[in-house]
């Protein structure tokens, strides 16, 4: 009875608990996990997805903008891959429709892994254990980039973070949150944050303007307008998920805010015209920290060694 | 009886099976594992021990010389950390007595992690979960670099790779090696390779000249002479372990040999004045591949997040 009441209540909330993925291809996940960690998908041989989306650290690199091949400075903050399967689209401007469409990008991006799809496939085709594993999973005799991106995307689908203290509370364990955290959640709802940060991922499901009431003073990029070509989409970004936000510092698309205190203050002023007191800000931050869920939990993948015919990486060319 | 006979035989062999570590401080290992994976011990915030000694890839980076901070090109090939606790000393020239003495080096090396010990300690002291874990393990109120290097070294002690097919064979499972592999081992012994590559790690227990019969044509560094100052130690290097050698390409201190076939050919000619036939070479290579043992098997560590007061990394300064 009590539980039913709680579940009822949860469904009335603007935030829903994260559900573990309901339909997963296990063989594809295991293959995708290897590829996610494999630096041989980069020109240098030392950069993998996990370099910039470090699963030991909330699925990000925790620096304002990423370090790419040859130490190039990236243009924008690397979002977390945790719960990215819940996004309506990928990238800050949503230019990739889904995780599969996204995963081909960084491999061939000269500022990131700086490789080509053809070279990446050549490397994989030269490694007998990969050839066998792709064949087992996809039942084909040749590896292609579609299989690579599909496998990585399937692995990424497993990177959801259920069972945060907030979700435990939503699901009926009322002792899971302190008084201060509950008051923070009340403020988060009543102030209007939930207009943009809602749903399972507490964000990730709409594009919104950065700087509604006041303009943003940081480094601005075009945002969504780069995709739509529409002037009204300038400075619109995909609303970031607030799941695990304690781990995904620094904040905003330019990584300019180092702390949650600062990010909450900016959001209040720029998006809602609200100046939170120190106490209110601390309550909201305390609530946000309850959104940290169970982190990826798997054995470090062991990668099959290259063979004599594997093209060697060229880090210094 | 049969087993006793086999164990007897094993002890007569120049190579001994790897034994898992006999005395390990579990709390220290768990802490050291986190530190090993923590890029916040580097100036840039993106380089950890695991960047150059990737435990998914045989404990190396599989490139001729490493990529350091700001993409600096390293001077020498990164040896594997697997079984490094069995070495008589650390580094190619043996300049560090043991793993603890070694572990402080890369953090403060401007060509590697480019940080300082003081800054690294400041970072760790600012992270509450680390402060608690150090206190639990070491029982002290302050973190210092000795604790850091001790914990990393303790973790590294666990990185031994028992139960290779060769060790199974040594321990009595005569079906563990094929005919070709056994012939390769016979050649390895009869040709004189075991003069330098012997013991538990099949190497790692002496310094030897590179280029005894013929000089080495690759890029030479001073080797052991840099430590002892003695002329007769020029071009002497710590004999590398051949455990997991299938995974630790490219070979030699300058990483110039891409394949085992090439490395075995060079060793035969330069160290022993022997030109192996294609068939002999293939047999030795087949034997060497039986030295791949059980790879590190643990859950990806999750690192505690930085706090508001944690000094931020400076990748682009
Ligand atoms: C050199 C750093 C770097 C590497 C390597 C890298 N990424 Fe990214 N990733 C980024 C950055 C920066 C963005 C944001 C780009 C943008 O929005 O314009 C991003 C965006 C993403 C997103 C979109 C998340 C969201 O919420 O919009 C996903 C998913 C992702 N990367 C997965 C991967 C995968 C899979 C790989 C490996 C195949 C990879 N990344 C390699 C830096 C990197
Ligand atoms: C009108 C939409 C909107 C409202 C209302 C809103 N946000 Fe945001 N939020 C965004 C957008 C868009 C971004 C990304 C902006 C950027 O990176 O430039 C963002 C970013 C954030 C971030 C940084 C996340 C990250 O990973 O970089 C935090 C924290 C945050 N919001 C919290 C809040 C809080 C707390 C409130 C209420 C006080 C709030 N937001 C209100 C749209 C909104
Ligand atoms: C930028 C690359 C890089 C980073 C980062 C790095 N290493 Fe190394 N490591 C090397 C290279 C190169 C050598 C060989 C140097 C030499 O022998 O002169 C080496 C040598 C070693 C050795 C000696 C192995 C042997 O057989 O002699 C150990 C052990 C080791 N590193 C552990 C670590 C630990 C622990 C960390 C992190 C605290 C670390 N390394 C960080 C590149 C790196
Ligand atoms: C007199 C000592 C000595 C003998 C005999 C010897 N080696 Fe070596 N071996 C070394 C040294 C020293 C190195 C490192 C040389 C360097 O890196 O410049 C080495 C390196 C190697 C490597 C490369 C390992 C790596 O990780 O880089 C292989 C493989 C190898 N030896 C196999 C053999 C084989 C097979 C034989 C017999 C044909 C043999 N060695 C005989 C001393 C010896
Ligand atoms: Ca961020
Ligand atoms: Ca010693
Ligand atoms: Ca090597
Ligand atoms: Mg070093």
């Amino acid at each position: 009875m009590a539980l039913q009441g709680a579940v009822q209540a949860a469904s009335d909330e603007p935030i829903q608990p994260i559900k573990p993925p309901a339909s997963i291809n296990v063989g594809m996940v295991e293959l995708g996990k290897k590829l996610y960690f494999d630096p041989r998908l980069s020109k240098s041989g030392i950069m993998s997805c996990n370099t910039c989306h470090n699963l030991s650290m909330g699925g990000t690199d925790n620096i304002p903008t990423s370090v790419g091949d040859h130490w190039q400075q990236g243009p924008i903050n690397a979002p977390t891959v945790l719960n990215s399967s819940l996004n309506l689209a990928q990238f800050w401007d949503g230019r990739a429709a889904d995780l599969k469409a996204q995963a081909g990008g960084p491999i061939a991006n000269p500022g990131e892994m700086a490789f080509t799809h053809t070279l990446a496939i050549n490397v994989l085709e030269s490694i007998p254990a990969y050839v066998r594993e792709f064949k087992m999973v996809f039942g084909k005799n040749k590896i292609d980039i579609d299989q690579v991106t599909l496998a990585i995307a399937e692995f990424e689908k497993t990177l959801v973070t259920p069972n945060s203290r907030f979700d435990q509370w939503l699901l009926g364990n009322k002792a899971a949150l302190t008084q201060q955290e509950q008051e923070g959640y009340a403020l988060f709802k009543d102030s209007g944050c939930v207009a943009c940060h809602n749903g399972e991922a507490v964000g990730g499901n709409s594009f919104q303007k950065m700087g509604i009431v006041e303009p943003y003073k940081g480094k601005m990029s075009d945002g969504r307008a780069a995709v739509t070509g529409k002037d009204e989409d300038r400075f619109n970004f995909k609303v970031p998920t607030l799941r695990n936000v304690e781990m995904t510092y620094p904040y905003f698309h330019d990584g300019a805010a180092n702390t949650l205190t600062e990010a909450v203050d900016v959001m209040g002023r720029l998006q809602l015209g609200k100046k939170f007191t120190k106490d209110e800000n601390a309550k909201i931050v305390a609530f946000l920290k309850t959104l940290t869920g169970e982190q990826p939990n798997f054995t470090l993948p062991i990668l099959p060694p290259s063979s004599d015919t594997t093209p060697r990486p060229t880090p210094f060319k």
Side-chain angles (χ1 to χ4, degrees), chain A:
Chain A
M1 276 290 110
L3 185 63
Q4 208 183 352
V7 171
Q8 193 71 45
S11 68
D12 295 341
E13 298 290 346
I15 300 173
Q16 282 82 48
I18 285 192
K19 284 195 285 290
S23 160
I24 281 294
N25 181 323
V26 175
M28 218 180 269
V29 166
E30 289 306 312
L31 176 55
K33 187 187 298 172
K34 292 198 184 80
L35 297 169
Y36 187 91
F37 279 86
D38 201 325
R40 287 169 299 185
L41 295 181
S42 70
K43 173 176 176 294
S44 63
I46 63 155
M47 192 169 288
S48 70
C49 309
N50 197 61
T51 303
C52 300
H53 304 282
N54 191 332
L55 296 176
S56 298
M57 303 183 70
T60 66
D61 51 11
N62 295 132
I63 52 180
T65 63
S66 300
V67 174
D69 186 71
H70 278 79
W71 216 266
Q72 288 171 82
Q73 181 162 7
I76 207 159
N77 185 253
T80 181
V81 290
L82 299 180
N83 305 303
S84 58
S85 58
L86 305 176
N87 289 337
L88 88 161
Q90 302 301 322
F91 293 124
W92 285 99
D93 59 10
R95 69 188 178 279
D98 54 31
L99 288 175
K100 183 180 177 315
Q102 190 285 327
I107 298 174
N109 184 331
E112 295 183 343
M113 297 163 85
F115 220 30
T116 71
H117 290 173
T118 307
L119 291 173
I121 298 300
N122 288 349
V123 165
L124 295 171
E125 284 271 7
S126 74
I127 300 169
Y130 265 135
V131 170
R132 291 192 297 271
E133 195 166 341
F134 273 92
K135 197 169 175 182
M136 174 183 80
V137 170
F138 292 103
K140 295 200 179 143
N141 278 320
K142 282 213 71 67
I143 302 175
D144 62 35
I145 191 69
D146 263 6
Q147 296 167 22
V148 171
T149 53
L150 211 55
I152 293 176
E154 193 74 5
F155 168 59
E156 290 178 309
K157 279 206 248 164
T158 68
L159 300 175
V160 294
T161 60
N163 209 29
S164 65
R165 285 199 292 121
F166 186 73
D167 284 4
Q168 293 176 32
W169 182 84
L170 278 180
L171 290 164
N173 174 9
K174 292 304 168 198
L177 298 193
T178 65
Q179 185 62 29
Q180 191 204 23
E181 290 159 352
Q182 294 186 40
E183 285 173 26
Y185 178 45
L187 272 168
F188 189 79
K189 284 198 290 193
D190 298 344
S191 311
C193 311
V194 291
C196 301
H197 298 280
N198 56 45
E200 222 179 315
V202 199
N205 52 6
S206 70
F207 298 97
Q208 300 289 342
K209 188 169 174 191
M210 175 56 160
I212 290 187
V213 180
E214 259 182 59
Y216 183 58
K217 296 228 175 64
K219 193 183 152 251
M220 249 326 187
S221 69
D222 276 352
R224 185 71 182 152
V227 177
T228 63
K230 291 191 190 145
D231 215 48
E232 69 261 33
D233 288 336
R234 276 194 81 198
F235 309 150
N236 274 242
F237 297 94
K238 189 179 68 199
V239 177
T241 174
L242 299 183
R243 294 283 180 183
N244 310 295
V245 73
E246 180 184 9
M247 304 183 81
T248 63
Y249 53 88
Y251 303 107
F252 300 134
H253 70 276
D254 59 354
N258 266 332
T259 66
L260 275 176
T261 307
E262 187 181 341
V264 168
D265 178 67
V266 168
M267 277 286 129
R269 287 187 292 104
L270 271 55
Q271 305 299 75
L272 299 165
K274 272 213 159 80
K275 177 81 191 101
F276 293 118
T277 66
K278 225 180 139 178
D279 182 60
E280 287 169 333
N281 185 305
K283 283 177 178 163
I284 295 175
V285 168
F287 153 66
L288 291 175
K289 290 186 179 176
T290 70
L291 294 169
T292 302
E294 281 170 7
Q295 297 300 300
N297 179 11
F298 54 78
T299 302
L300 185 78
I302 302 299
L303 303 176
S306 294
S307 73
D308 287 6
T309 62
T310 304
R312 294 317 197 220
T314 54
F316 299 110
K317 260 177 212 151

